[in-house]
Amino acid sequence: MSKPFTEPLEMESSLHLLAWAAGRLAESGVYKPRLNAELLLSHCTGRSRVDIYAYPERPIPREAREGFAAAVERRAAGEPLQYITGSKGFRHLDLQVDRRVLIPRPETELLAQRALEAAAAMEGRPVVVDVGTGSGCVAISVAVECRSAAVFATDISADALEVARANAARQGVEERIAFRRGDLLEALEGELRGLLDVVVSNPPYIREDEFPGLPPEVRDHEPYIALVAGPTGMEVQLRLMRQALSWLSPRGVLLIEGGADQVEKLAALALGMGYGKVCAHEDLNRLPRVLEARRG
Ligand SMILES: C[S@@+](CC[C@H](N)C(=O)[O-])C[C@H]1O[C@@H](n2cnc3c(N)ncnc32)[C@H](O)[C@@H]1O
């Protein structure tokens, strides 16, 4: 049984608060309850986790305790930790996230890495487009880590673009990324047709019938439009592959993230569409997760 909700408000020691929260979260089935409790307390007090353990007797002000109790209840109700703390690390970046955007996943760091490698291998000023930018994680990584690139970021969601713009501003690269709203590459001005050197995307790729069985943390909190592609799960990926053929430059490369069961299929379909060179990149679990397709 959980302790009464008011109890944490009477606890001044961080260790007592942590013990209460870890118990509350464990009881609700949250994975790694102690770690979640530490991260929430750190967020609500502005103190590091080390500091919390090093100075357990340092009193936690009542306002912070109230905020912490409320945050623990949100987490216990299944809200993702990153929406409560409002941040998520991605490569070297600390990005702000909320319900308007997908929480960037570790596997997408591989996609960003491939985009950076492709851009770095190109002479001059490579034009890089992040399609379905969400929080902006890929576009901002490219803008920060590849100073020679001209970066575009598109999304169909105006809400997502707002978050991406704010994240770019926080990283000091707002002026280096052109944000465009619209459907995949159609969001871009027509003059860019045939000039794109790197088209990189982590599009929605879940099947409609998979949606009800997703973990509630994902299903009930992250944007549907960021998750679900259609009946086969590959609708958005295939549309982007077809579109990109006429937008890529002769040296251009298309990089698309997909599920481990999708990427080999996409590679075979890319050859049929007219891409010249195609390969699949594996993640750390040796699963194919990124399609790379070149025009020539
Ligand atoms: C899986 S999320 C990826 C977000 C971010 N790039 C990341 O990796 O964390 C897919 C994104 O694509 C956007 N999206 C969905 N359909 C789109 C479309 N037809 N055109 C442009 N963006 C789309 C969603 O709004 C969402 O932000």
Side-chain angles (χ1 to χ4, degrees):
M1 280 297 290
S2 65
K3 309 248 172 70
F5 183 69
T6 52
E7 193 171 326
L9 305 185
E10 308 312 321
M11 296 173 180
E12 289 204 342
S13 149
S14 50
L15 294 185
H16 288 143
L17 280 167
L18 281 178
W20 166 79
R24 178 78 189 90
L25 296 175
E27 184 184 80
S28 310
V30 170
Y31 178 62
K32 297 194 176 173
R34 181 87 189 180
L35 177 62
N36 274 261
E38 290 170 3
L39 291 169
L40 287 175
L41 189 58
S42 170
H43 170 69
C44 294
T45 58
R47 287 168 56 183
S48 71
R49 283 161 69 207
V50 171
D51 187 86
I52 287 168
Y53 279 109
Y55 305 102
E57 73 292 345
R58 192 174 285 171
I60 310 262
R62 187 172 177 91
E63 206 174 274
R65 278 179 274 150
E66 281 170 3
F68 179 60
V72 169
E73 289 311 315
R74 283 170 69 184
R75 188 72 191 99
E79 189 169 343
L81 176 75
Q82 296 84 356
Y83 286 160
I84 302 170
T85 62
S87 73
K88 169 71 184 165
F90 184 86
R91 291 178 66 85
H92 312 296
L93 308 172
D94 178 28
L95 297 171
Q96 287 188 347
V97 292
D98 60 37
R99 293 184 71 120
R100 294 173 290 175
V101 292
L102 187 97
I103 298 164
R105 306 294 200 264
E107 47 275 27
T108 305
E109 297 189 12
L110 167 71
L111 179 75
Q113 179 68 32
R114 291 293 168 194
L116 278 159
E117 285 166 5
M122 291 176 184
E123 287 185 358
R125 188 161 167 72
V127 179
V128 180
V129 183
D130 174 21
V131 178
T133 196
S135 62
C137 55
V138 175
I140 297 170
S141 294
V142 174
V144 168
E145 296 183 54
C146 180
R147 305 298 297 182
S148 64
V151 186
F152 289 79
T154 82
D155 208 291
I156 203 157
S157 154
D159 278 350
L161 285 172
E162 240 176 69
V163 176
R165 262 204 198 92
N167 275 322
R170 286 180 76 232
Q171 302 297 332
V173 291
E174 195 188 12
E175 303 300 319
R176 296 219 27 244
I177 303 176
F179 293 94
R180 300 283 183 267
R181 182 175 176 208
D183 181 32
L184 304 179
L185 293 168
E186 301 297 342
L188 299 175
E189 36 278 56
E191 303 87 79
L192 287 168
R193 205 175 273 276
L195 298 180
L196 308 186
D197 295 310
V198 181
V199 174
V200 55
S201 183
N202 173 21
Y205 56 81
I206 290 173
R207 290 195 318 268
E208 274 168 6
D209 68 346
E210 283 178 297
F211 181 72
L214 291 179
E217 265 192 46
V218 176
R219 186 192 62 211
D220 300 342
H221 296 275
E222 296 196 271
Y224 183 87
I225 198 174
L227 298 167
V228 177
T232 71
M234 301 203 296
E235 286 80 356
V236 185
Q237 294 158 323
L238 289 172
R239 243 165 19 83
L240 179 58
M241 286 160 64
R242 283 191 209 99
Q243 275 190 13
L245 273 171
S246 66
W247 286 86
L248 285 169
S249 67
R251 66 178 181 174
V253 51
L254 171 66
L255 294 158
I256 302 184
E257 182 175 320
D261 59 337
Q262 295 175 330
V263 171
E264 305 281 9
K265 287 183 209 158
L266 294 174
L269 290 166
L271 287 173
M273 284 180 195
Y275 284 94
K277 290 189 202 134
V278 169
C279 68
H281 295 288
E282 294 178 343
D283 65 11
L284 295 175
N285 298 316
R286 314 229 47 185
L287 297 170
R289 295 303 304 273
V290 173
L291 166 76
E292 175 176 324
R294 289 175 186 268
R295 277 188 55 187

